[in-house]
Amino acid sequence: MAIRIGIVGFGKIAHDQHVPVLRASPDFELVAVASPNSILDGCANFKTIEQMLASDDAPEAVSLCQPPQVRFAAAQTAMKAGKHVFLEKPPGATLSEVEALTRIARDHGVTLFASWHSRYASGVETARSWLQERTIRSAEIEWKEDVRHWHPGQAWIWEAGGMGVFDPGINALSIATRILPDFYLKQGALSFPANRAAPIAADLDFVTVDGVAIRAEFDWRQTGLQTWDIRVDTDGGKLALSKGGSELAIDGVAQPLPPEAEYRGLYDRFAELVRAGESDVDVRPLRHVADAYLRSERKQVEAFED
Ligand code: NAP
């Protein structure tokens, strides 16, 4: 039986990824959307999650695709109504709220899935296996993109809890926490535009528990070539995971990989969790962002205008 699912927050990612993947999935039937202003043809539409859950045909599960600042209340409402919840990344605006959601899921016997789509990029698992058999000497993460191109008009992303450059940067951290040994932040610098509450760039020096340096640079001011790369130097060669994890090279030689299927992978996992009655909530990428806010120096840079 397909799991009847609703989407909450019908913006860019819901339109670009969730709808096509759900409509092609044998595991799910997309029955409803709840969004303040946007609608989707071919399903029931509501303004709020409360209206959606009160309808006669309410879904059994919801995917929460709104900005992270408003996700907690919706997730709590859904789980208290006995619904399974898929959280877009980042899973919330704070660590504490995500931990609270984990407890609520347990208390109500429903599935909570904190999704990290970049972990399902084609090259990530192959990179992980290759690195597990080698000793890492250093790693560099470079996540540099043009905010005007990728996030036009997204006011929430610049507000407190929107995370600024960590909105894409947390994707790099979700891959790094999957493929690298445990690491923590030694020092960092966050650059805040004079007129914004969230950073436009972050320079972060992490170190593994064995003292291996991991340097991360996130920047939203990159025009021209966009960079979403992780490079790792090991005792057995150099690994380069590029284009957000979709391409992998070992010592400069491109590796064969399966086709891109990030969101199909996420929904396969969600269906598996719902059927097994389990949850999957890994907060490590969000914890590194919180640590960056705790441990970094703050720089004020030129005001940012859209
Ligand atoms: P977006 O285009 O701004 O869409 C967010 C949508 O949420 C808006 O369209 C808005 O709906 C809705 N919304 C706002 N406040 C709401 C509320 N209180 N209740 C219900 N819905 C509300 O943002 P997005 O790019 O899709 O990103 C959403 C989330 O997905 C973020 O956490 C982001 O990190 C993640 N994500 C984005 C991408 C990407 O490529 N854009 C990729 C992966 C993950 P209305 O239109 O109805 O006002």
Side-chain angles (χ1 to χ4, degrees), residues 250-284:
I250 308 287
D251 289 328
V253 179
Q255 304 296 302
L257 296 174
E260 190 283 322
E262 287 185 15
Y263 276 76
R264 201 184 71 206
L266 288 178
Y267 275 106
D268 287 351
R269 175 74 177 140
F270 188 44
E272 179 183 270
L273 290 167
V274 169
R275 294 196 169 115
E278 292 171 3
S279 289
D280 177 353
V281 183
D282 179 2
V283 295
R284 287 177 298 159

Side-chain angles (χ1 to χ4, degrees), residues 191-213:
S191 298
F192 287 76
N195 58 344
R196 304 285 177 167
I200 197 166
D203 289 326
L204 305 167
D205 287 305
F206 297 100
V207 67
T208 70
V209 289
D210 294 324
V212 175

Side-chain angles (χ1 to χ4, degrees), residues 8-14 34-38 47 65-68 70-71 88-90 117 150-151 154 156 167 263:
V8 182
F10 196 67
K12 180 170 172 21
I13 198 61
S35 204
N37 303 295
S38 301
K47 292 274 184 209
C65 304
Q66 333 88 309
V70 298
R71 223 162 298 127
E88 249 302 350
K89 53 68 45 173
H117 67 88
W150 298 104
H151 302 281
Q154 293 185 340
W156 61 265
D167 180 79
Y263 276 76

Side-chain angles (χ1 to χ4, degrees), residues 280-300:
D280 177 353
V281 183
D282 179 2
V283 295
R284 287 177 298 159
L286 183 60
R287 177 173 291 124
H288 285 303
V289 174
D291 287 355
Y293 274 82
L294 277 171
R295 190 73 174 88
S296 301
E297 82 181 71
R298 182 189 170 110
K299 294 180 181 169
Q300 184 169 304

